[in-house]
Amino acid sequence: MKTSLRLLTLAAALSVALFTATAADKSAKAMPGGGRFLEKTEPHAEFVFQKDRSITINFYTAELKTVAATTQVVTVIATAKDGKTTLEFEKKGDSLVSKTKLPEGEGYNLVVQFKQTADAKPQNFRFKLDLHTCGECKRAEYACICGH
Ligand SMILES: [Zn+2]
């Protein structure tokens, strides 16, 4: 009896440890610039919507330390109600910054085409430009880390 109680305590302790590990993984996606983590990018790329409606792509190490953009090529295609707009990027400081701005409005679809080098196969990230603030994580919904 005593042994099974001990096992139970151990199991409880383990599940707490597991839970903590999961929470830590999630916070790893809370990108420093408040933007959206583009999964499977190395270095980690972050998509940030700026107040002037331009877009910045920042790069980080696995420890979320800023690194400079190198050979990455990014194109964003916005499908707003007036039609499709394509944004191209140029290097500014360590980041890539869009040369033009996103159309007015929100809630429309974005495709972020990400290439590690000009010749690489593009990775496509599709999501909605949802600028509402999430009640839980207080980030814009497009960058929400709550997993809902
Ligand atoms: Zn959230």
Side-chain angles (χ1 to χ4, degrees):
M1 198 63 192
K2 218 175 183 180
T3 319
S4 67
L5 198 71
R6 246 200 181 144
L7 273 174
L8 216 70
T9 315
L10 188 70
L14 263 175
S15 64
V16 167
L18 276 174
F19 180 78
T20 314
T22 317
D25 280 356
K26 260 196 165 176
S27 69
K29 288 185 190 175
M31 303 304 278
R36 181 186 181 95
F37 172 52
L38 302 178
E39 294 97 0
K40 294 179 185 158
T41 47
E42 193 57 58
H44 290 346
E46 176 192 35
F47 170 103
V48 186
F49 174 83
Q50 305 290 358
K51 283 201 179 82
D52 68 355
R53 306 196 71 83
S54 66
I55 296 165
T56 305
I57 308 285
N58 300 318
F59 296 93
Y60 303 94
T61 63
E63 293 78 35
L64 298 182
K65 288 211 174 76
T66 305
V67 288
T70 53
T71 55
Q72 296 91 345
V73 179
V74 176
T75 307
V76 170
I77 300 152
T79 310
K81 64 175 192 299
D82 299 333
K84 273 192 182 176
T85 310
T86 303
L87 279 68
E88 285 175 359
F89 289 73
E90 60 193 348
K91 211 176 154 187
K92 240 184 220 170
D94 288 340
S95 304
L96 296 177
V97 177
S98 66
K99 293 181 193 171
T100 51
K101 291 169 185 182
L102 279 175
E104 285 303 315
E106 63 165 311
Y108 52 75
N109 291 313
L110 296 179
V111 181
V112 179
Q113 276 182 359
F114 184 95
K115 292 198 284 186
Q116 192 61 39
T117 63
D119 308 324
K121 201 169 155 251
Q123 284 172 264
N124 288 332
F125 300 91
R126 291 163 208 278
F127 55 93
K128 265 197 165 66
L129 180 71
D130 188 339
L131 302 173
H132 293 104
T133 306
C134 170
E136 277 178 67
C137 67
K138 311 291 178 205
R139 300 165 72 93
E141 286 288 356
Y142 80 87
C144 174
I145 51 167
C146 302
H148 52 74

